[in-house]
Amino acid sequence: MSRRLIPALAILACCACPLLADEPAVVNPVPDAHPTVKAPIHGVDPQAWVEPDCGCQKEEACQGGGGFYAQGGVSFLRPTWETNPAFFSGTNLNAAGQPTFQTDNEFDWDFEAAPHAEVGYLNANRFGGRARYTQFDHGAGAAFTVLPGNTAGSARPLGLAIPIVNAGQTVQISSNLDFYVIDAGVMKVWQRNKWRLEGSAGVRYLDLEQSYRFAVLNGQTLVSRSSIEGFGPTVSFEARRAIGCSGLSIFAGTRLSILFGDEAQDASLIGGERRITDTESVQPIGEIEGGVNWTGEWGSAQPFIEVAGVGQVWWGAGNASNSHLADRPAGGDDNSIMGLLGV
């Protein structure tokens, strides 16, 4: 598939709507010849979250006619799984050469770059729409030679395996996680004094692929590729609070998506048996984010730097081989939970 989506840090840089700050000092106005009285309803000002209070922002920036915006950046994400077997190692061989003690080993992942970009439009009433694209395409792997008195074996995608690799043989293993996400929908922003609240609802498209390879030098090779393609509703909410008129603010946000689509897997021993599955899938994804933002002014643009912790949970995403730990010969762990921690 070619490519064209939390404790940790994510860095964004671009243009965004300025943050609210301190409320301006109150000045006694000249009495109106025909004054009006706004009576609060049950103690709440009905205009409190309708007309933004610009604080120390420029009024034309806060209450302008709206317009288009674009922003982008890079998050650094580390994938983690409930189970993600790479290979098993066995010791204490019996008379038949079979291990009597077995250790399961998983892939070791680092933080990797995940670029993202967003475009949108807000009108004068702070209502509009936006679209966001996120991509991640990275891998992990290792190579080793089986030590004397030991054995090794592969994971079991769809029940296929290379069960025994003897001492002195060299093994190469690898895994790849490749996905992109597109979110599109409507959004509404409420501004008052130092607070900025933002809600959105729309749809999400996901294309996810995971691969597994276990190769014995001058021997057998086992490969597996699993994929999920889904489409469904997504909702999000974010709250920001300005810190004085410094351009700094703190924020927290969350998003929930439920995707419906297809899940497929293709596993084979090169030159030997091949197994394929294709089923329907439901893919819930939950996300949380929180951190600190600084926004400045540079002509008509507003560059910002954001440092945040990001956490995501992908229920039922499966793992590289879509199999359980190697000591469960049935395999079939397509319901494994995948998580992403942001850096």
Side-chain angles (χ1 to χ4, degrees), residues 80-85 106 316 318-319 325 333 335-339:
T80 183
W81 285 263
E82 187 178 22
T83 61
N84 190 25
E106 299 198 349
N319 55 40
L325 300 178
D333 195 15
N335 290 319
S336 178
I337 297 174
M338 181 180 76

Side-chain angles (χ1 to χ4, degrees), residues 11-303:
I11 301 178
L12 311 172
C14 176
C15 310
C17 180
L19 299 168
L20 289 171
D22 291 332
E23 190 170 6
V26 176
V27 178
N28 292 328
V30 177
D32 193 335
H34 302 283
T36 59
V37 177
K38 294 181 180 179
I41 301 176
H42 300 296
V44 178
D45 184 349
Q47 297 297 316
W49 292 93
V50 177
E51 298 177 0
D53 185 341
C54 297
C56 54
Q57 289 190 87
K58 296 179 180 179
E59 184 171 345
E60 61 272 19
C62 177
Q63 301 189 30
F68 291 93
Y69 72 90
Q71 64 182 36
V74 178
S75 299
F76 293 89
L77 303 177
R78 180 181 181 271
T80 183
W81 285 263
E82 187 178 22
T83 61
N84 190 25
F87 68 97
F88 80 87
S89 55
T91 57
N92 299 330
L93 305 185
N94 57 26
Q98 301 291 328
T100 58
F101 180 79
Q102 181 173 297
T103 301
D104 292 289
N105 302 272
E106 299 198 349
F107 288 101
D108 186 16
W109 280 80
D110 295 321
F111 290 97
E112 304 288 358
H116 53 83
E118 180 178 320
V119 294
Y121 175 81
L122 277 175
N123 64 18
N125 295 321
R126 295 295 185 258
F127 182 83
R130 65 182 175 189
R132 180 182 175 95
Y133 175 87
T134 304
Q135 180 180 340
F136 184 95
D137 186 1
H138 297 283
F144 61 91
T145 299
V146 181
L147 298 175
N150 291 263
T151 64
S154 70
R156 301 177 180 270
L158 297 182
L160 296 178
I162 299 176
I164 296 293
V165 180
N166 296 315
Q169 292 184 289
T170 298
V171 176
Q172 294 178 333
I173 55 173
S174 62
S175 168
N176 194 75
L177 172 63
D178 183 5
F179 68 80
Y180 72 90
V181 177
I182 299 175
D183 296 309
V186 296
M187 61 184 295
K188 171 64 178 176
V189 174
W190 296 269
Q191 291 186 256
R192 181 65 180 177
N193 204 5
K194 296 181 180 181
W195 286 95
R196 182 181 190 272
L197 307 181
E198 178 184 300
S200 71
V203 294
R204 164 172 286 191
Y205 173 79
L206 166 69
D207 192 339
L208 178 149
E209 181 179 303
Q210 299 186 77
S211 63
Y212 174 83
R213 186 175 186 272
F214 183 99
V216 182
L217 189 63
N218 298 320
Q220 287 184 299
T221 298
L222 171 66
V223 295
S224 174
R225 184 183 71 86
S226 59
S227 62
I228 295 176
E229 185 176 22
F231 182 85
T234 182
V235 294
S236 69
F237 179 79
E238 181 183 270
R240 293 177 180 262
R241 180 124 181 357
I243 302 175
C245 294
S246 62
L248 291 174
S249 68
I250 56 175
F251 69 93
T254 184
R255 176 182 290 273
L256 176 63
S257 308
I258 303 178
L259 311 180
F260 304 87
D262 297 316
E263 180 177 358
Q265 185 173 4
D266 185 343
S268 63
L269 287 162
I270 302 300
E273 186 176 358
R274 180 184 183 186
R275 299 178 184 178
I276 299 174
T277 62
D278 191 348
T279 61
E280 295 183 347
S281 71
V282 179
Q283 178 73 63
I285 302 175
E287 307 172 35
I288 58 173
E289 181 178 12
V292 179
N293 172 289
W294 175 84
T295 300
E297 293 188 9
W298 185 24
S300 60
Q302 293 175 314

